[in-house]
Amino acid sequence: MTVFHVCDSLDALTPHDVLAAGQTGPHSVAGSGAPYLLVPTTRCRAFDSTFGSRRRASVTSDAA
């Protein structure tokens, strides 16, 4: 399963974006201590440019 990161602004980051631009964040003694990456918001891309624009279903009439 691929994980995509969607920000509050609805911009998105792909896994490649995160790995290419991310820098290891500071380690904390609280919590699980799991590593994480910090990614500048300037690296986010518009949702539609990441996933494509939404396709609208064509409306057809059954009346003949």
Side-chain angles (χ1 to χ4, degrees):
M1 173 170 34
T2 304
V3 175
F4 292 90
H5 305 273
V6 179
C7 304
D8 290 341
S9 62
L10 293 183
D11 289 343
L13 290 163
T14 66
H16 181 321
D17 297 332
V18 172
L19 291 174
Q23 297 178 2
T24 304
H27 293 282
S28 173
V29 295
S32 67
Y36 60 94
L37 297 174
L38 298 172
V39 181
T41 56
T42 55
R43 296 299 299 241
C44 293
R45 297 187 289 161
F47 193 89
D48 286 348
S49 71
T50 303
F51 298 104
S53 58
R54 183 176 174 187
R55 292 185 191 175
R56 296 181 184 255
S58 61
V59 178
T60 57
S61 175
D62 291 334

